[in-house]
Amino acid sequence: MQTIEDYLHQYELADLFPPAVIEAMHIEHHAAGSRLFSQGDAAEHLYLLVKGKLKISMLSPEGKRLILAFKTPFDLVGDIEYVQKCPFINTVEAVTELVLLRIPHHALDHEMSGNSLFQQFLLETITRKFVTKAQELNFNLLYAVDVRVASYLLSMTPDKSRLESPSLVDMADLIGTSYRHLNRVLQKFEQAGWIQRNNGKIDLLDRDALFNQAGHNIYE
């Protein structure tokens, strides 16, 4: 089993954090499908994503959820909240089993205040996220629903070929379409032999065809 030090060396972060911060870190494991935290929850930790895949979504004023991004290692979770000292601005859920390193805010405040390397690390990460967010919003606004559905199916099944018990209402909200339109697209994919729906599950039969439909512009 990998240790905190193993993960830090794996992602070339061992020299970024002083011993006191490393001692304050904890390893967290999350099962696929679990919710790490919801939009508006208090943020007291910074997380380093070191294994697995997660989904980030936001809730609109109308109560609709929209996918912002899927994340794989290495990435930070809660960096904007740490800098702004605000609650979590998005909902984060596990797509696959996850491993994260959890760092208390108070440890960072005490040990990393004024650390130029850490400040540069945060700046680069947050700047990259703003670029990604702009791209994802354009993706939802400009691409056809067929492309978004294919991309969603691929993003949600990185290491398997079955989407277990998907809620079509939630899926429609997340990709920004109506339930009826989503159902029509899924029927079209099924008739083409790309997917098969069976007992509330969606089996991906032809990932290459779905990649071609998405134009390789998947949410990642």
Side-chain angles (χ1 to χ4, degrees):
M1 182 178 293
Q2 286 185 279
T3 65
I4 289 172
E5 289 77 9
D6 291 335
Y7 285 118
L8 293 177
H9 281 289
Q10 180 179 347
Y11 295 105
E12 300 180 350
L13 298 171
D15 295 332
L16 180 63
F17 299 104
V21 173
I22 295 176
E23 289 177 6
M25 292 183 185
H26 288 85
I27 296 179
E28 278 194 8
H29 297 267
H30 294 271
S34 61
R35 179 171 292 189
L36 280 67
F37 34 77
S38 300
Q39 186 174 331
D41 286 352
E44 299 176 348
H45 299 86
L46 176 69
Y47 297 86
L48 314 182
L49 175 61
V50 294
K51 186 176 180 180
K53 184 176 188 178
L54 55 78
K55 176 177 67 180
I56 301 175
S57 61
M58 65 174 291
L59 189 68
S60 73
E62 295 77 25
K64 301 287 188 179
R65 283 203 300 149
L66 185 67
I67 291 175
L68 295 179
F70 288 86
K71 296 293 184 182
T72 54
F74 169 78
D75 215 325
L76 294 182
V77 181
D79 45 349
I80 296 174
E81 290 82 356
Y82 170 68
V83 172
Q84 292 293 320
K85 304 301 182 189
C86 66
F88 284 108
I89 58 178
N90 298 310
T91 294
V92 179
E93 298 165 284
V95 176
T96 66
E97 290 184 359
L98 296 180
V99 179
L100 302 104
L101 305 186
R102 186 185 73 220
I103 314 174
H105 285 183
H106 65 79
L108 293 171
D109 292 339
H110 187 265
E111 298 292 335
M112 306 297 281
S113 179
N115 185 308
S116 59
L117 287 177
F118 182 62
Q119 299 302 320
Q120 182 66 27
F121 175 67
L122 287 176
L123 178 62
E124 292 176 357
T125 303
I126 292 172
T127 302
R128 185 173 65 250
K129 285 187 176 182
F130 277 120
V131 172
T132 300
K133 183 175 181 179
Q135 292 172 339
E136 295 301 337
L137 289 174
N138 287 335
F139 183 91
N140 278 286
L141 292 172
L142 301 177
Y143 283 86
V145 174
D146 300 46
V147 175
R148 283 179 264 160
V149 174
S151 298
Y152 180 85
L153 293 174
L154 292 166
S155 294
M156 288 295 292
T157 56
D159 54 2
K160 57 184 178 180
S161 293
R162 169 173 286 182
L163 189 58
E164 301 281 353
S165 305
S167 165
L168 297 192
V169 174
D170 286 348
M171 190 189 305
D173 284 350
L174 285 165
I175 65 176
T177 190
S178 68
Y179 171 85
R180 287 186 177 182
H181 198 163
L182 170 63
N183 202 40
R184 286 197 297 269
V185 171
L186 291 175
Q187 288 176 349
K188 172 184 171 183
F189 288 179
E190 192 165 21
Q191 292 167 359
W194 300 350
I195 67 170
Q196 182 177 11
R197 291 190 283 180
N198 188 18
N199 294 325
K201 302 176 177 62
I202 299 177
D203 290 312
L204 277 63
L205 305 179
D206 193 338
R207 295 183 73 89
D208 289 340
L210 291 169
F211 269 113
N212 289 333
Q213 178 66 44
H216 296 276
N217 292 309
I218 60 176
Y219 284 103
E220 285 85 353

